Amino acid sequence: MSIDLEFNKNEDQIKQLIYQLKTKHEKVKLGGGEKRIQAQHKQGKLTARQRIDLLIDKDKPFLEIGAFAADGMYEEVGGCPSAGVVTGIGYISGRQAVIVANDATVKAGAWFPMTAKKNLRAQEISMENRLPIVYLVDSAGVFLPMQDEVFPDKEHFGRIFRNNAIMSAKGIVQIAAIMGSCVAGGAYLPIMSDEALIVEGTGSVFLAGSYLVKSAIGENIDNETLGGAATHCEISGVTDYKMPNDEVCLQTIRNIFDKMGETRKAGFHRATPALPKLDEKEIYGILPADRVKPYDMLEIILRLVDNSDFQQYKEKYGQTLICGLGRIDGWAVGIVANQRKVVKSKKGEIQMGGVIYSDSADKATRFIMNCNQKRIPLVFLQDVSGFMVGSRAEHGGIIKDGAKMVNAMSNSVVPKFTIIIGNSYGAGNYAMCGKAYDPRLIYSWVTGQMAVMSGASAAKTLLQIKVSSMEAKGQKLTEEEQNTLLNEITEKYNEQLSPYYAAARLWTDGVIDPLETRKVISMGIEAANHAPIKKRYNVGVIQT
């Protein structure tokens, strides 16, 4: 196949995946569907996404986080699109902020297990980057059939209020708008914020609604009198601003942001932003449709960095990892990326692309330490199969070299950002800053796959286990039955490899078109720049 034909085939494949992404996102944007959106409007309320649109600056981007949370989950109760809450980083009166907006079109904004996890992720981003956070509250409270998965544990619903208190003590601004129901334990979230606004006629906040009050103490009272805007702004003093409608409420938040003072910055270096000289859209044709095929990761990097200007570190050493310095939208970055083409060392050793060898792990360790020394944020571009195996690698100390890299990366004090371009398998996911290693943001391209190992390898291993188990019970499978079973195992495993499967569980912050990568990294570094580095870089014991 000619180079042009191969390029066109790759481009067609990725454009199909991007079309699927856009289709899925459009569906997610509808929340609980058109009928529920209309019902929301009839109550005089805007939807979660309409509220965000009015709150943020029109001329600045919005970075959605967790759009596909709970995708394909809770189907036995009708599903929970986007986990019933819209979250992201936007600009309010010129200032970056985290925004959390309950989507009342989805089960009246009730809290599912993934809703709690998504809210905690939003608070984590706010805390790590010292960004102000705005809560647009409109929720019926915990989804009772699943209360045991939402209520009592450390990372459940109660952790949110604990975070409210911790964030307040750290001086992180929290503003809440009660724009619908706010019931029971959920009532603490807006009231533990610095300031609480409430919308007249639609907003209400109480520990127990009128029905529960009646059954508990026999008192007859309606919800508006019990915990409406007039009650809390004029009698209890629980809320601070009484707003006539959603629009005025959101404008008032913008006015508050407009008056806020400046905070100290981390001081990451930013030059005048510039586009890559090479065409970003060529990424579509460079990335192989067949993920087994090699490609040159450097060609991807040159289409992501400003002016396509990238300075490689130890270029001819440890070549299965590319390390180097560049800029993304003006921000200085250190990039660690898996090289996917087959390379040959000076000693004549052939090394497979996408695999981390001892020399590449050694190089990356030193580079990560250098970036921490120079206060340069790190970007990890993952297309990794794992670490090299076999006697040669083991005798050469691959475990200690891999441990060095994990150590240097784990203790990094500069912010880290991870983009999953292709494979993200096994310990390679860990070394290249997977979710467990606190990247400030982690997004997957539409081509990403995350698992312990590839689908083909896993399916064969699982088949061997199954066949051995059945043979131990005296059951012998024919070759045809084994093939049928292999196909079933492969299909199920491949579902779990999907970037949407990972995004549904918030193992990543979302799935993106490769052309959104620069926006994600730029907004992420801008957010991180709000949090001065106070901790000294210390790797502890390095495995020599």
Side-chain angles (χ1 to χ4, degrees), residues 50-300:
Q50 287 171 333
R51 286 167 175 166
I52 290 173
D53 285 344
L54 278 181
L55 179 64
I56 61 176
D57 298 349
K58 302 292 178 289
D59 60 340
K60 299 276 183 68
F62 176 70
L63 178 60
E64 186 163 355
I65 293 161
F68 298 110
D71 180 60
M73 299 171 71
Y74 313 125
E75 290 181 348
E76 69 282 5
V77 291
C80 186
S82 217
V85 61
V86 184
T87 61
I89 300 173
Y91 297 81
I92 304 172
S93 297
R95 297 175 181 275
Q96 264 193 335
V98 175
I99 301 165
V100 178
N102 296 116
D103 187 350
T105 70
V106 179
K107 300 287 189 296
W111 288 66
F112 283 70
M114 285 306 302
T115 317
K117 187 172 183 178
K118 188 169 173 179
N119 274 263
L120 288 169
R121 175 62 179 145
Q123 287 185 320
E124 180 182 41
I125 290 168
S126 172
M127 286 189 280
E128 283 181 332
N129 300 294
R130 297 192 64 85
L131 285 182
I133 186 166
V134 175
Y135 308 100
L136 306 180
V137 185
D138 192 348
S139 171
V142 168
F143 185 66
L144 285 176
M146 295 182 181
Q147 64 87 26
D148 61 320
E149 298 176 59
V150 181
F151 169 63
D153 208 349
K154 182 178 179 180
E155 298 300 327
H156 284 179
F157 201 5
R159 187 77 171 182
I160 293 166
F161 314 135
R162 173 264 188 194
N163 286 351
N164 286 142
I166 297 295
M167 291 160 79
S168 182
K170 288 183 175 182
I172 297 169
V173 172
Q174 301 175 85
I175 295 173
I178 301 160
M179 310 182 86
S181 297
C182 187
V183 186
Y188 286 106
L189 184 146
I191 309 311
M192 291 188 73
S193 299
D194 301 337
E195 292 176 283
L197 304 84
I198 185 167
V199 178
E200 206 169 0
T202 54
S204 58
V205 55
F206 32 63
L207 294 181
S210 56
Y211 291 135
L212 186 54
V213 168
K214 171 71 173 171
S215 63
I217 62 172
E219 181 183 1
N220 282 308
I221 191 168
D222 64 89
N223 281 338
E224 186 63 25
T225 308
L226 183 65
T231 295
H232 286 311
C233 284
E234 299 169 29
I235 299 173
S236 71
V238 165
T239 52
D240 307 307
Y241 303 90
K242 183 169 72 170
M243 300 284 103
N245 53 46
D246 283 7
E247 290 84 352
V248 174
C249 181
L250 296 164
Q251 183 57 51
T252 302
I253 296 173
R254 289 183 56 80
N255 292 344
I256 292 169
F257 265 75
D258 184 54
K259 312 298 185 298
M260 282 164 50
E262 287 294 333
T263 57
R264 287 178 58 214
K265 299 289 190 288
F268 303 126
H269 195 269
R270 191 178 200 185
T272 304
L275 292 172
K277 282 183 180 173
L278 297 175
D279 187 356
E280 288 179 82
K281 290 182 180 175
E282 289 176 352
I283 289 171
Y284 295 166
I286 293 167
L287 204 62
D290 180 356
R291 66 182 52 247
V292 175
K293 288 189 175 179
Y295 66 92
D296 190 351
M297 178 64 84
L298 184 59
E299 294 298 326
I300 302 286

Side-chain angles (χ1 to χ4, degrees), residues 10 13-15 17-18 283-284 287-289 291 295 382-383 419-425 444-450 497-500 511-514:
N10 296 341
Q13 161 105 356
I14 203 166
K15 282 183 175 178
L17 294 175
I18 290 165
I283 289 171
Y284 295 166
L287 204 62
R291 66 182 52 247
Y295 66 92
Q382 289 195 12
D383 194 345
I419 305 292
I420 299 167
I421 287 176
N423 304 330
S424 179
Y425 296 154
S444 173
W445 284 7
V446 289
T447 46
Q449 288 191 350
M450 189 190 299
L497 284 173
S498 161
Y500 299 103
V511 183
I512 58 170
D513 177 335

Side-chain angles (χ1 to χ4, degrees), residues 283-319:
I283 289 171
Y284 295 166
I286 293 167
L287 204 62
D290 180 356
R291 66 182 52 247
V292 175
K293 288 189 175 179
Y295 66 92
D296 190 351
M297 178 64 84
L298 184 59
E299 294 298 326
I300 302 286
I301 294 171
L302 293 176
R303 286 160 178 82
L304 293 176
V305 294
D306 292 14
N307 293 315
S308 300
D309 184 14
F310 182 65
Q311 180 182 316
Q312 280 206 64
Y313 174 77
K314 292 185 186 283
E315 182 179 350
K316 296 297 182 183
Y317 177 76
Q319 296 174 74

